[in-house]
Amino acid sequence: MLDILKFMETCSPITQTLIGTTYLWIMTAAGAATVFLPKKIDRKMLGGLLGFAGGVMLAASFWSLLLPAIEVSRINDVPVWMPVLIGFSTGAVFLWGIDKALIRFENGYPFKSLKNGDAKHSINMLFIGITLHNIPEGLAIGVAFASAAAGIHPASLAGAILLTIGIGIQDLPEGIAVSMPLYGEGMSRLRSFWYGQITGFVEVLAGLVGAATIFISLSLLPYVLGFAAGAMVYIVVEEIIPESKKMSDSKIPTIGFMIGFAVMMLLDVAFS
């Protein structure tokens, strides 16, 4: 961790964001690459990893995003709570709107060639949903690195790195969730892998947008930080926690969640 910190300290926030979001893309691709393996990954282990990622993301939403947003809000000529509340609510509503829109999405794109109509619809929903959900995750990485570089307390480089690691862990099963069903419906391993990994590429683009926000206008930063936090909390509650419990009916996901939250809290506070 210390070696990573030393290296990242020498990089600009844009480079840090590029490194971080490229890692997310690689993790998504690693999950998608499981279509080439002869055996499936143990679901209990995936449940524990998802729980850990959820704990990291929830803790990061507070220490790496909301607290810095509150600090930056003090420079605006509005009540301190207003930018954070607006951003947080908008992020949650944005994800809720995406979920609602996906339910109404009845066309056969992008996987029209699949013969099973029910499977085609489900896989379309999963592919589009994961791709869109990755946008606020990439955004969160960008604003986390930018906030740390700007010296906005209590944002820290260590916190941004750990947030990146946590999101990367939960990107692993997302790659699996797209590529495996496609392969199961008769698509080739290579094409299934391609569609699985491409869902992670949007995080690179979104991360650069998030990092650029601080250079455009510091007054916009609390709104963007709040938006990323609201979207991440929504993802944790709506997607990660339920999915981790589906993968394992034991206490492993809960234990993973508590460990992830504690580790993120410890590192973020210790290095802030």
Side-chain angles (χ1 to χ4, degrees):
M1 182 70 177
L2 290 177
D3 290 338
I4 297 174
L5 266 175
K6 289 179 180 179
F7 170 72
M8 294 292 273
E9 284 174 352
T10 64
C11 302
S12 70
I14 295 294
T15 303
Q16 291 169 350
T17 300
L18 270 175
I19 293 171
T21 52
T22 300
Y23 156 77
L24 301 186
W25 187 13
I26 291 171
M27 289 295 286
T28 305
T34 55
V35 294
F36 298 110
L37 299 177
K39 293 182 180 180
K40 294 182 178 179
I41 297 177
D42 182 69
R43 289 179 63 83
K44 285 188 177 181
M45 183 181 75
L46 281 177
L49 287 173
L50 266 183
F52 179 86
V56 167
M57 290 171 68
L58 190 62
S61 296
F62 180 69
W63 275 282
S64 294
L65 297 173
L66 289 177
L67 275 184
I70 292 170
E71 289 300 315
V72 182
S73 293
R74 300 185 191 281
I75 69 172
N76 294 333
D77 295 327
V78 295
V80 173
W81 53 266
M82 186 178 292
V84 183
L85 179 61
I86 291 174
F88 185 87
S89 302
T90 304
V93 170
F94 175 75
L95 265 295
W96 175 83
I98 286 176
D99 285 345
K100 286 293 183 183
L102 291 177
I103 292 174
R104 297 176 178 273
F105 190 90
E106 297 294 341
N107 296 321
Y109 298 97
F111 305 117
K112 294 192 297 182
S113 61
L114 298 181
K115 296 179 180 179
N116 186 331
D118 291 337
K120 177 170 64 178
H121 179 76
S122 298
I123 294 170
N124 275 317
M125 296 303 95
L126 195 60
F127 176 80
I128 296 170
I130 288 176
T131 301
L132 292 176
H133 283 187
N134 281 342
I135 293 174
E137 293 176 3
L139 190 68
I141 296 301
V143 294
F145 279 117
S147 300
I152 299 169
H153 184 78
S156 67
L157 182 57
I161 292 171
L162 193 61
L163 172 61
T164 304
I165 293 172
I167 293 178
I169 290 172
Q170 66 95 29
D171 278 347
L172 183 71
E174 286 185 355
I176 298 172
V178 173
S179 62
M180 281 299 189
L182 287 172
Y183 178 61
E185 288 300 316
M187 190 174 284
S188 69
R189 292 179 189 268
L190 189 59
R191 287 191 68 199
S192 299
F193 165 75
W194 169 259
Y195 282 114
Q197 62 84 28
I198 203 66
T199 60
F201 181 68
V202 297
E203 291 175 298
V204 178
L205 303 178
L208 292 175
V209 171
T213 301
I214 196 169
F215 300 109
I216 297 171
S217 174
L218 194 60
S219 62
L220 289 177
L221 190 58
Y223 296 95
V224 178
L225 285 166
F227 179 91
M232 284 225 301
V233 170
Y234 184 94
I235 291 170
V236 170
V237 175
E238 183 71 13
E239 305 286 345
I240 294 179
I241 293 176
E243 190 62 30
S244 69
K245 300 301 285 186
K246 284 181 186 177
M247 290 183 174
S248 174
D249 56 3
S250 67
K251 297 295 183 184
I252 293 176
T254 303
I255 294 171
F257 182 93
M258 299 302 292
I259 293 173
F261 190 97
V263 169
M264 182 69 201
M265 176 178 62
L266 172 65
L267 291 181
D268 219 342
V269 174
F271 286 95
S272 62

